[in-house]
């Protein structure tokens, strides 16, 4: 498992998690909003069984500071 913390905006922080379950890698974004004190969890499950591909996609997600609501769209664009 790999985790990265990031500030997405003035009021929003995120934790990105790359995990492996049943041989497939999953990317999860946990967002914390200071405005409404709300925590939201978004996930792109079973994106690939390949470790190198999963790490490449995960690094791009973290570097781009992707919001949880757009996570699936970004992952699918990076895969395809």
């Amino acid at each position: 498992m790999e985790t990265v913390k990031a500030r997405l905006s003035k009021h929003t922080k995120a934790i990105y998690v790359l995990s492996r379950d049943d041989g497939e890698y999953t990317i999860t974004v946990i967002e914390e909003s200071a405005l409404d004190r709300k925590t939201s969890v978004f996930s792109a499950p079973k994106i690939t069984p390949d470790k190198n591909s999963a790490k490449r996609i995960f690094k791009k997600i973290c570097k781009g500071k992707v919001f949880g609501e757009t996570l699936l769209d970004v992952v699918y664009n990076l895969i395809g």
Side-chain angles (χ1 to χ4, degrees):
M1 183 182 332
E2 189 173 338
T3 61
V4 173
K5 293 181 181 181
R7 178 172 291 281
L8 302 181
S9 70
K10 184 177 179 181
H11 302 289
T12 306
K13 295 179 184 177
I15 300 172
Y16 298 100
V17 181
L18 175 65
S19 59
R20 186 172 178 219
D21 186 34
D22 292 331
E24 296 274 345
Y25 287 88
T26 295
I27 296 176
T28 303
V29 178
I30 304 166
E31 285 184 17
E32 298 174 348
S33 172
L35 287 177
D36 57 6
R37 300 183 188 268
K38 184 177 173 185
T39 301
S40 302
V41 179
F42 303 89
S43 186
K46 300 182 179 184
I47 59 171
T48 181
D50 182 62
K51 182 178 182 177
N52 292 330
S53 294
K55 284 190 168 199
R56 179 183 56 81
I57 293 168
F58 182 70
K59 285 180 182 179
K60 288 183 178 184
I61 296 287
C62 295
K63 186 177 179 181
K65 296 183 179 179
V66 173
F67 281 83
E69 291 182 5
T70 60
L71 177 64
L72 285 175
D73 291 332
V74 174
V75 167
Y76 290 141
N77 286 337
L78 292 172
I79 290 173

